Amino acid sequence: MKLRVTEIQRFCMHDGPGIRTTVFLKGCPLRCAWCHNPETQKLKSELIFYPNKCIGCAACKTSCGNGVHVWSETHLIDRVACISCGNCVENCPTSALEICGSEYTVKDVLSIVEKDRVFYSEGGGVTLSGGEPFVQGDSVIELLRACKEAGLSTAVETCGYADPCVLREAVKFVDLFLWDIKDTDDKRHKQYTGVSNKKILENLSVINELGARIRLRCILVNGVNTDKTHYKELAVIAKKINNFDRLELIPYHAYGGTKSVFLGFADSGRVEWIPTEQQIQEAKMILRSEGVNVI
Amino acid sequence: MKFYTQNGGKRPIRLSKQTRQFAYESLERKYGLDTLKTNSISLDNNENYSAFSALEKYDIAILKIAEEAPIRVCEGEKISGAATLGFAIKHAVPATYNGTPVCSSISHLTVDFETVLKEGVNSIKIKAEEAYEKYRTTEKEAFSKSCLNCIRAFEIWHRRYLDALRDLSEYKANYENLTHVPFEPAKSFYEAVQSLWFTFAFIRLCGNWPGIGRIDYLLGDYLKKDLENGTLSLNEAREILAHFFIKGCEWVNGQFIGSGDAQHYQNIVLAGIDENGIEVTNEVTYLVLDILEELGISDFPTTVRLNKNTDEKLLRRVAEVMRFGGGMLAIYNEDLIIEALVKDGYSEREARKFANDGCWEVQIPGKTFFAYYPFDALQLLQKKTLSCYAEGVDFPDFEALYSAYTSDLHAQVEEFRVKQSVKFVTDGTHNGTWIWKPQPPCTVISLFERDCIEKGLSYSEGGPVYNLISPHIGGLSDVVNSLYAIKKLVYEEKRLTLPELLRILKHNWEGEEALRQFALNRYVYYGNDNDEVDAIASRLLSDFADACASLRGRSGYAFPGGVSTFGRQLEWSSTRLAAPHGRRMGEVLAANASPTPGTDREGATAIIRSYCKADLSKLATGAALDLKLLPSSVAGEDGIQALVALMRGFVSLGGFFMQPDVVDAALLREAQAHPENYQTLSVRVSGWNARFVTLNKEWQDMVIEQNEH
């Protein structure tokens, strides 16, 4: 069973307790307008191109059988013709080209995760993120099981839009869910993520009933969900969780937009969406006044 | 009053307003500038000066310094004594004849403060008197007499402080304490702190820069007793100890722009086991951490000795203080260091006493002569093994290249032995004992180094119990990465031949940008936990240690190896050639045992793992790993957990010495543009901290560069 992974990042400090190794998995059922990791949306592997690293040596052109790399003043990429074979990546001297989404076995992932085992004291361990890890349901369950068998602490960052059967199974192997609530207003949720939040909230009750430890992660997008009603709704949700860890506010940043450019799309970053320090403090204050432990 | 932080965190307040004010003024250079007002004592009026021997000249100088150096009593100070002569800040005995300093001074050691505190300077005086009796009419008489002269100078200086303080009611406690210490044994914590400071100040007054060593080990029992007897509260103890740290800033003057103004090798060591294997950590340990946390004083770079059993409470406290940045705290893994010292021939009990030379090089305090020979291992490869990339240089395979390099390494280390052999009499030894030729005088230091007085030999002439000269390999990761790039490009992937590569390097990669980029980007270099390249580092360090060990018994010195650059990567950058790992001429490359800037892509844990793969127990002096962390990485409770986990990992993987620093490159750029607003901001440079604004532009850029990856 294979996993499609975009990146395995060591020494992560913001994906759960302690020092963690975060496995970014490819594929997501949501299409959030503010996506921070656009390279993880599609399940299939993709070619990434960093124009700032390109020195125009054309080694890619020479090595490509499909005519993907074209020069017309600048280096252009024919995304339709590209089959993500990786030949150009092998020959690019500057690493300006990358295949995002290589296949890993559970064993491959574990061998990387194991490297930092000595640093996993103080509650550290492995975090699965993405993308939406549960898109690769069976493989992800197998990976989680293997991690637990190896005695590693596990966390999964999920948008919650997943098959409830997979989630029920996952609860057995996940020490901490990092559960995203993008918006409590369903109309806006549909508008900005492409799906309703109903299934996400139902799934949250499912794992809550099973006793899962849950940390809520809530993105803050200026002008979209920076309203008091949303914060109060978040507090209602948080307070229903039996094994509640804390709520983390994730201020929107525009770097995700730059990443879309590397994938061949327009820059989707919107500076006006970055919340102000005042908005962040207000959100924290309201949540705290509702009795929610918020970071 | 604002004491800088790198993470914007709020420093806690525990000290009194007066003490904080004292600290602030000291850091703002009040006393440092005062020290510069009198640079030295003139010996010009001394008739027949030229006729005296070097040792006699030294004694005259020390005596005159003691008699004439300005006395300084700072407003509200709880302990007294001050090193008030400017040339001492420049590392010279601050006495001049016709404008020239009479003698150089000593640093890179931690003296025997334990004897001063527990037995008093009078015990040293008795030893000196006995030695003088013994050596009268022998060739050692002059040195023995110099010992007595220097003690007399110390007494005179002490008497002058008593006279100055006697009638000042505000300084009654200072006066009372000084009526006993440092000549008599300290009886209380307050006396002990005064004794330690006064002796330290006198040694520094005479131009020397000693380290402090294990301050919690030295002072812990005194505090324990006072707390039990109820004669002192913890808050009072903190105030007293804070004044020790504040007075240690009396040379801060912001005037010597270059490699910083804070490098007087006055390092402190905390925690760890004592000679019986019992953990030392005590209330003093925590008071020191409180003071560092509150005042951000970086002038006593402090290293905490950790082991596998270090208490969680201490680790968390260290992490909390570390987070404010400024590089005030570094860590030793004493499990490995004690193992290294035992391997190097020390008894286990002796090894457990280790502190450092005032920087981070490990030594047994009060017993060790220490010096080091730095060399650039990268230039050794470029200029010797590869003959400055001359035509015709070739090796059939990687092993042939590597073994040519290690034999050059052996020759380099051997050269150090030969270089210092001039210090010994012609046949070197007498009945198996090495005999030094006369060296420049250093009696003040010799008083506080075990065995010098009894042996009748100075610190520099074989007096101490251990005499070390440590060859320091620099440019480690760059030579490793160079070798690795050659191995891949030439011998494994056969992209070009060695002569072809060398020709390209000789022309600084001109016209070969694609190849340079390939070498730069397509290989995973040291610091990323890549076994293949890390194996070269481990092997090289092991071979270097063996080269050092091969000198054993062939000199009056032992030659334990170490890894350092101490910022020399800056001066080396102009003389290095282009390097095979994609580096052009003139680039500032790696510091200490840290990765080449820009090559570490896997983060802190991978850096530590790469570094720890080598058997560092073969390097008894040490190998320094710098670790730069972003404030955001160590924020909140999560950040404390992360730092604790990093330290625990470092210990269990077998690291030696690590200097983590929390640095925000953007903040440093701001300080570079507006130095006036950042007078107290400090950064870790190597074994020392520097106030950032006192670094010159090149150094500042290097520090920023190291933090932007």
Side-chain angles (χ1 to χ4, degrees):
Chain A
M1 225 176 254
K2 294 279 179 73
L3 290 140
R4 202 166 280 282
V5 172
T6 64
E7 196 185 1
I8 300 181
Q9 218 175 70
R10 295 163 65 180
F11 193 53
C12 290
M13 232 73 83
H14 304 293
D15 299 320
I19 293 174
R20 310 194 73 86
T21 298
T22 302
V23 183
F24 291 90
L25 292 146
K26 210 155 159 30
C28 186
L30 272 55
R31 287 293 177 269
C32 303
W34 48 73
C35 183
H36 283 175
N37 294 328
E39 76 280 13
T40 63
Q41 288 185 356
K42 290 179 190 157
L43 185 58
K44 71 175 184 66
S45 57
E46 291 168 273
L47 182 66
I48 293 189
F49 172 55
Y50 303 106
N52 57 326
K53 289 191 187 173
C54 179
I55 54 167
C57 69
C60 48
K61 192 177 172 184
T62 321
S63 61
C64 181
N66 300 310
V68 170
H69 301 276
V70 191
W71 260 264
S72 124
E73 286 185 25
T74 55
H75 181 176
L76 299 175
I77 291 173
D78 182 349
R79 299 268 168 190
V80 181
C82 178
I83 55 162
S84 300
C85 67
N87 278 346
C88 57
V89 173
E90 280 306 301
N91 289 285
C92 175
T94 66
S95 301
L97 293 160
E98 244 175 54
I99 289 289
C100 175
S102 311
E103 287 200 324
Y104 283 68
T105 64
V106 166
K107 212 174 136 199
D108 294 337
V109 175
L110 265 185
S111 72
I112 296 172
V113 169
E114 281 288 350
K115 287 186 170 190
D116 276 350
R117 182 185 277 271
V118 72
F119 297 103
Y120 296 151
S121 64
E122 313 302 311
V126 59
T127 298
L128 307 189
S129 181
E132 169 48 53
F134 293 120
V135 164
Q136 304 185 46
D138 293 347
S139 312
V140 162
I141 295 290
E142 198 185 303
L143 174 59
L144 286 167
R145 185 199 310 268
C147 287
K148 285 321 292 175
E149 278 168 7
L152 294 160
S153 162
T154 55
V156 178
E157 157 103 55
T158 174
C159 70
Y161 197 88
D163 178 349
C165 300
V166 173
L167 287 172
R168 279 175 199 282
E169 187 64 12
V171 170
K172 299 177 194 163
F173 311 113
V174 177
D175 296 311
L176 180 67
F177 282 89
L178 308 170
W179 194 279
D180 296 358
I181 305 279
K182 318 267 186 201
D183 205 335
T184 49
D185 180 309
D186 196 34
K187 202 171 145 223
R188 289 194 312 231
H189 202 282
K190 278 185 199 147
Q191 185 188 342
Y192 286 104
T193 74
V195 303
S196 162
N197 66 12
K198 200 159 158 257
K199 184 172 173 184
I200 294 168
L201 295 172
E202 281 167 10
N203 278 341
L204 182 61
S205 326
V206 169
I207 65 158
N208 187 36
E209 288 306 310
L210 292 170
R213 178 127 183 106
I214 298 164
R215 177 181 293 188
L216 293 181
R217 300 189 104 189
C218 308
I219 187 153
L220 219 52
V221 186
N222 190 349
V224 176
N225 64 3
T226 41
D227 59 279
K228 288 175 188 153
T229 323
H230 172 52
Y231 305 148
K232 294 210 163 150
E233 280 301 311
L234 281 178
V236 172
I237 293 167
K239 282 192 279 190
K240 279 189 201 151
I241 296 171
N242 303 319
N243 194 356
F244 180 66
D245 179 68
R246 69 188 192 199
L247 187 151
E248 285 177 358
L249 289 171
I250 315 286
Y252 169 81
H253 63 70
Y255 306 132
T258 319
K259 289 202 223 169
S260 350
V261 175
F262 301 148
L263 291 163
F265 302 103
D267 187 338
S268 58
R270 295 178 61 172
V271 182
E272 69 274 17
W273 273 356
I274 298 171
T276 63
E277 190 53 38
Q278 201 187 341
Q279 285 175 320
I280 297 168
Q281 291 312 323
E282 187 197 41
K284 280 187 185 171
M285 217 178 64
I286 293 173
L287 284 158
R288 279 195 190 123
S289 72
E290 296 288 328
V292 177
N293 177 17
V294 59
I295 297 281
Chain B
M1 270 194 297
K2 195 166 167 260
F3 300 97
Y4 84 92
T5 65
Q6 284 277 349
N7 70 347
K10 212 170 149 76
R11 295 185 179 277
I13 296 178
R14 303 182 186 89
L15 296 165
S16 68
K17 204 174 158 214
Q18 293 87 329
T19 296
R20 288 170 60 79
Q21 184 67 31
F22 185 24
Y24 192 70
E25 286 173 1
S26 300
L27 287 168
E28 288 289 321
R29 301 166 290 170
K30 179 173 175 184
Y31 301 106
L33 293 175
D34 187 55
T35 304
L36 295 181
K37 284 184 192 153
T38 316
N39 276 325
S40 64
I41 301 297
S42 167
L43 306 178
D44 293 356
N45 293 336
N46 199 301
E47 285 166 38
N48 305 325
Y49 178 80
S50 323
F52 291 116
S53 73
L55 200 53
E56 284 164 338
K57 284 176 184 164
Y58 178 87
D59 289 358
I60 291 166
I62 298 298
L63 203 63
K64 203 128 193 265
I65 287 168
E67 285 167 348
E68 294 181 12
I71 296 288
R72 183 197 294 140
V73 180
C74 309
E75 200 185 324
E77 69 178 18
K78 290 182 180 296
I79 53 173
S80 293
T84 52
L85 294 170
F87 278 179
I89 308 178
K90 291 185 172 176
H91 203 298
V93 175
T96 49
Y97 185 72
N98 286 340
T100 315
V102 294
C103 192
S104 60
S105 58
I106 302 288
S107 59
H108 287 94
L109 81 168
T110 290
V111 298
D112 177 20
F113 287 119
E114 192 173 1
T115 299
V116 173
L117 294 186
K118 290 190 178 154
E119 295 166 42
V121 175
N122 280 337
S123 74
I124 296 170
K125 188 180 176 185
I126 292 167
K127 269 194 301 189
E129 283 165 348
E130 286 168 2
Y132 182 67
E133 283 307 313
K134 183 171 155 195
Y135 292 126
R136 223 151 58 172
T137 74
T138 74
E139 79 281 12
K140 290 178 175 176
E141 177 176 354
F143 173 73
S144 293
K145 189 156 181 237
S146 175
C147 288
L148 289 176
N149 286 337
C150 290
I151 290 170
R152 194 159 66 83
F154 195 10
E155 286 171 335
I156 289 167
W157 190 66
H158 178 242
R159 173 55 57 192
R160 291 178 65 211
Y161 269 91
L162 283 178
D163 292 344
L165 294 166
R166 188 176 292 113
D167 299 322
L168 303 176
S169 58
E170 199 194 332
Y171 301 95
K172 192 162 174 282
N174 307 36
Y175 174 78
E176 289 289 327
N177 286 332
L178 281 172
T179 57
H180 302 126
V181 295
F183 287 88
E184 292 167 23
K187 293 189 293 297
S188 67
F189 175 75
Y190 198 173
E191 280 190 3
V193 176
Q194 175 66 79
S195 181
L196 182 63
W197 172 260
F198 202 77
T199 310
F200 177 65
F202 178 69
I203 297 170
R204 294 216 311 169
L205 176 75
C206 300
N208 308 290
W209 297 357
I212 300 294
R214 307 183 72 183
I215 198 167
D216 49 0
Y217 166 80
L218 291 170
L219 299 175
D221 285 347
Y222 294 103
L223 180 58
K224 188 163 176 257
K225 211 178 86 192
D226 288 1
L227 290 173
E228 279 168 6
N229 296 339
T231 50
L232 193 73
S233 72
L234 211 49
N235 282 339
E236 288 165 337
R238 192 185 296 110
E239 293 284 333
I240 293 166
L241 194 58
H243 281 232
F244 180 92
F245 280 81
I246 296 164
K247 288 195 61 92
C249 303
E250 66 187 1
W251 285 356
V252 175
N253 56 62
Q255 304 266 312
F256 301 118
I257 306 286
S259 57
D261 70 343
Q263 43 163 323
H264 303 109
Y265 307 142
Q266 52 204 65
N267 287 24
I268 279 179
V269 177
L270 292 178
I273 57 173
D274 66 11
E275 60 190 282
N276 299 313
I278 313 289
E279 178 64 42
V280 164
T281 306
N282 56 42
E283 292 291 358
V284 175
T285 321
Y286 288 102
L287 289 183
V288 170
L289 293 171
D290 286 354
I291 292 162
L292 294 178
E293 182 182 42
E294 179 166 350
L295 302 177
I297 287 176
S298 59
D299 293 75
F300 292 95
T302 301
T303 309
V304 187
R305 284 175 48 163
L306 303 180
N307 58 52
K308 285 198 178 67
N309 302 317
T310 298
D311 197 57
E312 184 80 9
K313 183 183 161 199
L314 178 63
L315 276 174
R316 286 187 60 89
R317 198 71 194 100
V318 168
E320 280 167 9
V321 179
M322 226 172 230
R323 284 200 308 182
F324 285 105
M328 292 175 298
L329 288 178
I331 60 167
Y332 281 129
N333 168 18
E334 67 173 12
D335 291 339
L336 179 107
I337 293 171
I338 292 167
E339 181 193 334
L341 291 169
V342 169
K343 263 190 200 170
D344 205 43
Y346 296 88
S347 74
E348 177 124 23
R349 284 178 69 83
E350 193 78 332
R352 286 166 174 168
K353 294 179 190 163
F354 81 85
N356 58 36
D357 68 324
C359 189
W360 52 254
E361 296 98 308
V362 161
Q363 63 172 234
I364 311 301
K367 292 186 170 180
T368 310
F369 170 91
F370 180 85
Y372 73 101
Y373 276 131
F375 71 100
D376 181 1
L378 179 61
Q379 286 191 71
L380 187 70
L381 174 72
Q382 294 178 338
K383 298 187 172 170
K384 189 107 186 274
T385 317
L386 299 173
S387 314
C388 295
Y389 304 152
E391 287 294 326
V393 174
D394 199 5
F395 295 94
D397 51 36
F398 180 75
E399 280 307 308
L401 167 65
Y402 183 83
S403 82
Y405 182 66
T406 43
S407 69
D408 291 336
L409 203 57
H410 270 263
Q412 171 76 75
V413 173
E414 174 68 19
E415 194 185 306
F416 293 148
R417 187 194 65 80
V418 173
K419 229 185 226 173
Q420 55 71 37
S421 65
V422 297
K423 285 196 194 159
F424 298 94
V425 297
T426 320
D427 56 349
T429 61
H430 178 69
N431 294 336
T433 307
W434 288 85
I435 310 290
W436 272 255
K437 287 181 193 162
Q439 299 298 317
C442 55
T443 313
V444 171
I445 281 293
S446 309
L447 294 177
F448 303 100
E449 280 285 302
R450 295 267 186 101
D451 287 11
C452 289
I453 294 172
E454 292 91 327
K455 283 193 206 163
L457 297 170
S458 85
Y459 171 76
S460 308
E461 294 165 340
V465 184
Y466 310 108
N467 295 283
L468 313 178
I469 290 183
S470 178
H472 273 210
I473 187 168
L476 173 75
S477 45
D478 289 296
V479 79
V480 166
N481 291 340
S482 290
L483 287 168
Y484 181 63
I486 294 174
K487 185 170 183 250
K488 299 301 272 189
L489 288 168
V490 174
Y491 297 112
E492 286 182 12
E493 295 168 10
K494 302 191 193 305
R495 289 175 190 271
L496 71 179
T497 66
L498 186 60
E500 282 164 353
L501 176 63
L502 298 184
R503 209 168 301 134
I504 290 168
L505 292 176
K506 192 160 187 183
H507 293 99
N508 198 19
W509 295 101
E510 222 178 282
E512 294 289 347
E513 186 58 10
L515 183 68
R516 187 184 81 86
Q517 288 287 344
F518 193 93
L520 194 64
N521 294 297
R522 298 306 304 267
Y523 300 129
V524 180
Y525 291 113
Y526 171 81
N528 292 293
D529 198 5
N530 170 11
D531 285 340
E532 204 184 345
V533 62
D534 294 344
I536 298 177
S538 305
R539 184 179 177 192
L540 187 58
L541 279 180
S542 174
D543 289 334
F544 167 62
D546 289 344
C548 295
S550 73
L551 304 182
R552 194 181 292 271
R554 294 170 54 214
S555 167
Y557 297 108
F559 293 88
V563 183
S564 79
T565 61
F566 297 120
R568 280 191 181 80
Q569 65 272 28
L570 200 59
E571 60 183 81
W572 288 340
S573 64
S574 61
T575 46
R576 285 167 167 172
L577 308 173
H581 54 309
R583 297 297 171 144
R584 292 199 185 96
M585 281 170 78
E587 288 188 36
V588 177
L589 300 178
N592 295 322
S594 309
T596 307
T599 58
D600 51 317
R601 296 170 190 156
E602 293 287 321
T605 54
I607 294 174
I608 293 174
R609 275 181 50 98
S610 280
Y611 158 88
C612 288
K613 280 177 200 169
D615 180 3
L616 299 169
S617 74
K618 289 179 81 171
L619 296 159
T621 295
L625 181 68
D626 313 306
L627 202 65
K628 307 293 178 185
L629 300 166
L630 288 169
S632 61
S633 304
V634 292
E637 168 62 21
D638 292 353
I640 292 177
Q641 288 176 351
L643 279 171
V644 169
L646 270 185
M647 292 189 275
R648 284 219 189 276
F650 182 82
V651 170
S652 67
L653 287 172
F656 197 110
F657 171 74
M658 176 163 75
Q659 30 195 21
D661 198 0
V662 176
V663 187
D664 181 350
L667 180 72
L668 297 182
R669 288 216 177 278
E670 169 69 18
Q672 199 171 35
H674 301 286
E676 65 282 3
N677 301 333
Y678 295 90
Q679 286 295 329
T680 65
L681 184 146
S682 89
V683 289
R684 191 83 180 186
V685 176
S686 185
W688 72 88
N689 298 301
R691 259 165 292 276
F692 186 73
V693 298
T694 66
L695 296 169
N696 66 24
K697 175 104 183 4
E698 278 177 304
W699 278 82
Q700 290 184 347
D701 288 344
M702 181 171 75
V703 172
I704 292 171
E705 160 89 0
Q706 284 169 352
N707 290 299
E708 278 182 331
H709 296 288

